[in-house]
Each structure stands twice: as structure tokens, then as C-alpha cells.
Amino acid sequence: MGDVLAGFQTVWEFDTDSVLIRFERGIRTPKLLQALGERHIPYEALSAVDLAPGKRGTVVLRAVPRPGADPLMDVADGQLREGYDPYRLVLPAERASLAEYYADEIRGALGPGADTAAESHLVAAPAPPLSFKAYDGKASFDGKAVSFRWFWTGASSAKWKAGDQRFRIDELAGVEWRSPENRGSGGAAAKTSGTAPAEDPEAPGADAKGPAGKGTTGAKASPPRSGRHGHLRLVPRATEDQPAGRPDHDPAAVVFGMGYGLVHESLPFAAAVLEAVRASAPAPCAEGSPAPAHNPAPARRDPADIADRIRHLGELHTAGLLTDEEFSTKKAELLAEL
């Protein structure tokens, strides 16, 4: 088509096989859309296009992505507010006829699989490296592995006992993201095979303790309030069929609330992880053929990081949060990683 349709805060540029959605930068543009910048959407990634009246003399043109086509929308799982939806274009009502014309053009360009789920991602997620600060730790993704480094001001004693975590992408079955705004269904784990329901976890408890075993104080130490919490949880392949526990006690999850791990930081992160997990999923073997062996060499930990972890374990042991046996066992495990 080669045309441009400009709306409020968003511009759609049409091509013969795709639409480029660009988001303007400005104080009125939601931070998620600013963080995304622009998105290239092939028509084959769409299932439909809707046009409906909007608020205050506007019309809304919305493309509907196919399930499985966009990792961002798979992870969001219906939890985004309307203003954060990257597939919406809001236009003045007097441009309704023009919007209907483009809606018809896109409908005519939809592929034969529009009514089915996509077998692979057709829309790119934000590229790593990515990181964000949650309430109880910092999450980092370098394209090959996800790392969680706990904050002593927010992490629970259960997470401190487990230590900092590193998950290789090929060890994961999916990722679960819950919005701190607590909208939509939430709590559904986006896996390589699509989306599957997971147990709705309890709100984070009051077990956020520092290494001395005492409740932390100050604004940073206040745990996310009930109804104002979210989380990002990794789903290891070995545990994908097990019920999910509380994210504040789960070493495979980071917890955040309003001000910690905001949507515009945590959602693109989760989408990038899901895209990598799906891309690394082993191809199905022919019936009767054994799966190829996969024995990657274990990654070596930074000695300074090991020393830091042992020091924190010592603080937990002194505070009575670890028994002598637990301290000795964990210390030996850390030293073995050198």
C-alpha cells in the first residue's frame, strides 16, 4: 500500500506485506510504547482488524494478533490497559471512513492461517541485553541466560538461602508475567507450546528480610501491597508440571510492585526471554528416534561473586537463619563452582 495513517501518539506505515507501527515520544505517550519505539507487524501475524467508536469523538482501529505470533502479547496475556496496547490506533472520528478503508485493505491481506495459532513467533521481541530492578532483586538477560541477583533490602530469607540464580535458556519451558496493575487474567505461563494456566499465587508476604534476619525499614523496604504486586517467574523444564508457589519465596521469580519492575521494563524483558525460549526449543524427533544428547559445560561463577555469596551466607548463619549444616553444605556448593 505504501501509505501512512497518523493517529494520536501512533503512526501506521503500510507496506504490501506488513505494517510498521511507530510510537511517538512525549509526556502523553505511555512509557511502554516509548520503550518499544516501533514494531514491524507482518500481516500473517494478524487474525483480524477491528474498527470501533472511541472516547471523546474518536475511532479506534485495532489489529488483532494471532495467538503465538507476538511474544509480547503472549506474555501480557490480556493484562494491558487499553492505552498500553501496541496494536491500537486512535483517530479523530472524522477519519472513520479512511480508517475503514485501511481496515478493509489489511483484511484482504491476511494470510490463510489467520484463524489459527501461529506455529512460531512472527513479531520480534526487544533484543537483549535487558535488565530491570524488581523489589527483591535485579533481573538480567544476555540472550543466553537469565540471572537473578537478590537485594538484601527486599529478598525473602528463602531466596537468600537459595542464593543468586542463573537459568540457561535451554533449561526453561517458558516465562510467566503478572502485571503490578493486576489486570486481566494474569498468572498464565507463556510456554513454548503456547499459553497454559498456572496457579494464581498468593500476594507477597511479610517475609522480606535482610541478611540479619530483621524486617527492613524505609520506603525501599516496604513490600508491594496486596493488589499492587506483580512478578516475573521462569518456568524450568523440570518443574513445568508442578504447581507454582508464592513468587516471593520462589528462587525462579522476582517480585515487583508500583515503582519496582514497571510494565515498560518487565514486560519487554519477559517477551525477549519467551522468544529465546521458544527459539531454543528442541525440534520434535521422528517417532522412535532418540533425542540428541545435550551436555553443555557448566558456566563458571565469578570468584568475587562467590566470595560475596559466602559472606552473606555467614551473615544469615550468624543471625540464626541457617543451621550449621545448611551453612556448611551451601558454602561447599559455592566453593565447588570456582
Side-chain angles (χ1 to χ4, degrees), residues 23-111:
F23 307 107
E24 297 178 356
R25 300 188 66 85
I27 59 174
R28 297 192 176 208
T29 303
K31 288 185 177 180
L32 174 62
L33 303 186
Q34 293 188 49
L36 294 175
E38 63 180 37
R39 309 201 77 211
H40 181 261
I41 313 295
Y43 296 136
E44 64 174 328
L46 303 177
S47 64
V49 181
D50 298 328
L51 182 64
K55 301 176 182 178
R56 301 175 187 173
T58 62
V59 293
V60 178
L61 181 65
R62 183 178 188 273
V64 181
R66 295 167 60 190
D70 185 348
L72 187 87
M73 302 307 287
D74 281 354
V75 170
D77 191 36
Q79 298 176 77
L80 291 180
R81 292 185 296 174
E82 282 189 349
Y84 276 41
D85 187 346
Y87 286 84
R88 293 176 80 247
L89 179 65
V90 182
L91 300 155
E94 56 267 24
R95 306 190 73 184
S97 297
L98 186 61
E100 183 61 48
Y101 166 78
Y102 283 109
D104 288 338
E105 290 291 305
I106 296 176
R107 292 182 189 118
L110 296 180

Side-chain angles (χ1 to χ4, degrees), residues 30-281:
K31 288 185 177 180
L32 174 62
L33 303 186
Q34 293 188 49
L36 294 175
E38 63 180 37
R39 309 201 77 211
H40 181 261
I41 313 295
Y43 296 136
E44 64 174 328
L46 303 177
S47 64
V49 181
D50 298 328
L51 182 64
K55 301 176 182 178
R56 301 175 187 173
T58 62
V59 293
V60 178
L61 181 65
R62 183 178 188 273
V64 181
R66 295 167 60 190
D70 185 348
L72 187 87
M73 302 307 287
D74 281 354
V75 170
D77 191 36
Q79 298 176 77
L80 291 180
R81 292 185 296 174
E82 282 189 349
Y84 276 41
D85 187 346
Y87 286 84
R88 293 176 80 247
L89 179 65
V90 182
L91 300 155
E94 56 267 24
R95 306 190 73 184
S97 297
L98 186 61
E100 183 61 48
Y101 166 78
Y102 283 109
D104 288 338
E105 290 291 305
I106 296 176
R107 292 182 189 118
L110 296 180
D115 295 331
T116 63
E119 295 182 358
S120 62
H121 288 147
L122 302 171
V123 182
L130 296 167
S131 66
F132 72 94
K133 290 183 179 180
Y135 162 70
D136 55 1
K138 180 179 180 180
S140 303
F141 177 46
D142 61 7
K144 297 180 180 179
V146 179
S147 300
F148 293 156
R149 184 175 180 85
W150 308 124
F151 295 153
W152 71 270
T153 52
S156 65
S157 57
K159 290 184 176 180
W160 273 103
K161 288 182 180 180
D164 293 342
Q165 301 292 304
R166 185 178 187 273
F167 300 87
R168 294 197 317 270
I169 287 300
D170 60 359
E171 297 175 329
L172 301 177
V175 59
E176 170 187 309
W177 179 82
R178 181 169 182 139
S179 171
E181 296 170 359
N182 209 13
R183 298 179 63 87
S185 58
K191 300 187 179 181
T192 56
S193 59
T195 56
E199 195 172 289
D200 189 13
E202 302 175 40
D207 189 28
K209 299 180 180 180
K214 299 179 181 179
T216 53
T217 59
K220 262 192 170 183
S222 300
R225 294 174 294 171
S226 178
R228 290 286 186 176
H229 67 280
H231 66 260
L232 183 146
R233 188 200 309 269
L234 303 177
V235 185
R237 294 188 186 278
T239 64
E240 59 182 313
D241 296 325
Q242 299 176 12
R246 287 173 48 156
D248 58 329
H249 289 178
D250 186 352
V254 287
V255 176
F256 43 80
M258 305 304 286
Y260 298 91
L262 298 174
V263 170
H264 74 279
E265 298 172 331
S266 59
L267 181 58
F269 184 102
V273 173
L274 177 61
E275 180 182 63
V277 168
R278 197 166 188 182
S280 71

Side-chain angles (χ1 to χ4, degrees), residues 4-24:
V4 175
L5 186 59
F8 298 110
Q9 305 166 352
T10 307
V11 176
W12 287 16
E13 298 182 8
F14 300 97
D15 205 342
T16 54
D17 60 355
S18 61
V19 56
L20 178 65
I21 302 178
R22 293 191 291 106
F23 307 107
E24 297 178 356

